[in-house]
Amino acid sequence: MKHGSIYREAQTRLRDFIREHGLRPGDRLPPEAALAAELEVSRLSLREASRSLQTLGVIEARPGNGLYVATFSFRPVIEQLPYGLAEPGASLEELLTAREAMEAGLMPAVCRLRDEEEEALSRCADLATEMSEREQRGESFVDVDREFHLSLYQTLGNPLVENLIELFWELFVRVGDAIPGSPERNRGEAHLAIVRALQAGDADLATARMFEHFDDVRVRARLLQERA
């Protein structure tokens, strides 16, 4: 068996070991010698498999204390994605489509929880106002925009949603800050319109406002492409 195949087999066996033994984030894996014997692989292959799974965020090494199952995060995925995904052009349109589907699709769920979401929506309204003020002053507000989108879904209590929003946002923001503003409507107003629809308990209107927001982003993205 070729070296690459042996290493991949060790990786597969290590993943299976974690799953079959019901190990959870924070659980410690057996010492290297015992684990290699259990998986029927060499210690060298196990080390290579362990390093690759650390890169993917499946396990983590604690110096002097061994290997542990890691808490799931999309951070390793983001770090491994090719930078080409964040280049202007077709990839930007793909990111916009993915973000739009995710965020517009979540509007009914947020609306159903609007009582529990009251504090978060109030915070989002403040953030939208701050966006408008910064835009009027010609200042960057990428950090505020990011906080808005993350805060909007926090009451759902869904780590997968939060991780996906983070992933889409981080990829998008690599070029998003370069997208010019629209003379017709500032971005703070577009975000505030989403919040007001949610506060009114109108899921259909909130969804429509989110679609309008992304339509505006697409217009500005085309301006960016024309300038390139």
Side-chain angles (χ1 to χ4, degrees), residues 167-186:
L167 183 146
F168 288 137
W169 179 263
E170 185 152 336
L171 288 172
F172 179 76
V173 82
R174 291 179 186 175
V175 294
D177 195 26
I179 295 178
S182 168
E184 290 80 15
R185 186 184 193 193
N186 71 46

Side-chain angles (χ1 to χ4, degrees), residues 9-196:
E9 177 64 22
Q11 188 183 77
T12 299
R13 292 184 187 185
L14 182 49
R15 286 178 182 272
D16 290 344
F17 178 88
I18 292 171
R19 184 181 65 254
E20 291 168 2
H21 286 75
L23 300 183
R24 310 295 299 170
D27 288 346
R28 189 178 188 277
L29 292 169
E32 182 182 88
L35 186 56
E38 173 74 21
L39 301 180
E40 298 181 337
V41 298
S42 71
R43 295 176 69 169
L44 176 59
S45 295
L46 177 60
R47 287 189 199 117
E48 292 182 355
S50 298
R51 281 195 291 268
S52 67
L53 292 180
Q54 287 177 60
T55 301
L56 295 172
V58 176
I59 60 178
E60 62 178 325
R62 299 181 186 178
N65 204 20
L67 296 173
Y68 290 77
V69 178
T71 300
F72 176 78
S73 171
F74 271 105
R75 172 63 50 186
V77 178
I78 294 171
E79 292 173 350
Q80 295 303 314
L81 285 171
Y83 285 100
L85 285 177
E87 289 298 319
S91 293
L92 178 56
E93 174 61 29
E94 292 167 6
L95 288 171
L96 282 172
T97 299
R99 278 193 62 197
E100 179 181 47
M102 165 70 75
E103 300 204 39
L106 287 171
M107 289 297 94
V110 175
C111 200
R112 285 194 297 270
L113 294 175
R114 71 179 185 279
D115 291 337
E116 298 93 322
E117 186 89 352
E118 183 177 354
E119 184 177 346
L121 290 177
S122 178
R123 173 61 179 155
C124 286
D126 291 342
L127 291 168
T129 299
E130 186 176 350
M131 277 187 240
S132 294
E133 293 171 350
R134 288 200 194 183
E135 189 164 17
Q136 290 167 8
R137 295 194 298 267
E139 299 173 0
S140 174
F141 53 88
V142 171
D143 57 327
V144 182
D145 198 352
R146 175 183 177 278
E147 186 177 351
F148 175 95
H149 286 271
L150 291 173
S151 298
L152 195 58
Y153 310 105
Q154 67 181 28
T155 309
L156 296 178
N158 188 322
L160 178 58
V161 166
E162 293 170 7
N163 275 286
L164 285 171
I165 294 296
E166 283 269 22
L167 183 146
F168 288 137
W169 179 263
E170 185 152 336
L171 288 172
F172 179 76
V173 82
R174 291 179 186 175
V175 294
D177 195 26
I179 295 178
S182 168
E184 290 80 15
R185 186 184 193 193
N186 71 46
R187 280 170 273 184
E189 290 176 355
H191 287 74
L192 187 58
I194 297 168
V195 175
R196 295 306 184 213

